[in-house]
Amino acid sequence: MKTQFSILQKLSLVIAIIFTIVAPIMGYLSIGLPPVIIVGGSAVIGLVCWCATYLKNPVEPKIILPLFLLTVAGLQIHIIEEYLTGFAPAMSRLFGIPWSEKSFLLVFALVGPTIYTLTALGLYYRIPIAGFVAWFIFIGPGLAEFTHFIFPLIKPALHAAILDPLTAPIQGVLITNMRNYYLGATGKYYFPGMWTAVLPMIPGIYAIYRLFKLNRSAKPQE
């Protein structure tokens, strides 16, 4: 059977595609390549998964909404650890990108929670685009948080052998307190956010499994 998309579904698809293209470009222009890989990759995978599941068969709020809220709650706790340990400046030193704490807070502590709140409302009313945002969160801040366990193994682009925090301009932006978390220099296996990275991963990964399982059971028999 062919699926007939409503106007709302088609509009949501257009918005999701635009986001998938524009968000990585904006991240690249403002920070650099890492956002393209992390945000862009999560958006593309989330878009494909959303098209295959929620866009065609919106999930009941009582199923997806708790999973989304648990993932977001875990993410917010995770962001607290990242802020307290200097995630953004550490990423700046690691990759040589201009990511300040101000921009980190703007995106993850102010804009992010606003989007999460509206997404929760959208999931309650089964609005298609809300499903895309949920999938993006399940894939990005959910599944992709495993990258925190890789970061301590990567040699920083800026003064890898110097243990003291750096303050220096990067691409015209002054970045302060760039700490070195390179295992080869510190002897300690840690990177900002690593200890709480599993908090959004657990409900995020389970949500991915649950949504695909529901989608398979919802398919009509041939």
Side-chain angles (χ1 to χ4, degrees), residues 208-218:
I208 294 170
Y209 162 78
R210 186 76 188 277
L211 291 176
F212 273 120
K213 183 178 180 181
L214 287 172
N215 186 66
R216 285 196 299 268
S217 63

Side-chain angles (χ1 to χ4, degrees), residues 81-135:
E81 182 192 356
E82 288 185 329
Y83 172 69
L84 292 176
T85 52
F87 176 77
M91 288 288 283
S92 295
R93 185 166 183 172
L94 186 63
F95 295 109
I97 57 176
W99 196 358
S100 66
E101 285 191 338
K102 179 180 179 180
S103 62
F104 173 84
L105 289 174
L106 179 64
V107 173
F108 292 104
L110 299 175
V111 176
T114 302
I115 295 175
Y116 307 150
T117 302
L118 294 175
T119 300
L121 185 63
L123 291 175
Y124 180 80
Y125 288 105
R126 299 191 186 187
I127 297 175
I129 191 62
F132 167 72
V133 178
W135 263 109

Side-chain angles (χ1 to χ4, degrees), residues 30 92 97-100 103 167-176 178:
S30 60
S92 295
I97 57 176
W99 196 358
S100 66
S103 62
T167 294
I170 301 177
Q171 299 178 23
V173 179
L174 183 64
I175 307 298
T176 62
M178 292 184 285

Side-chain angles (χ1 to χ4, degrees), residues 22-83:
V22 173
I25 293 176
M26 291 180 63
Y28 176 77
L29 294 177
S30 60
I31 299 178
L33 187 60
V36 176
I37 299 174
I38 298 173
V39 176
S42 299
V44 170
I45 296 173
L47 178 66
V48 173
C49 294
W50 171 65
C51 288
T53 58
Y54 194 95
L55 180 60
K56 296 185 295 184
N57 301 301
V59 179
E60 290 185 20
K62 67 179 182 180
I63 295 175
I64 191 172
L65 191 51
L67 294 173
F68 175 75
L69 293 176
L70 285 172
T71 305
V72 168
L75 175 60
Q76 291 304 107
I77 296 173
H78 171 61
I79 288 172
I80 293 174
E81 182 192 356
E82 288 185 329
Y83 172 69

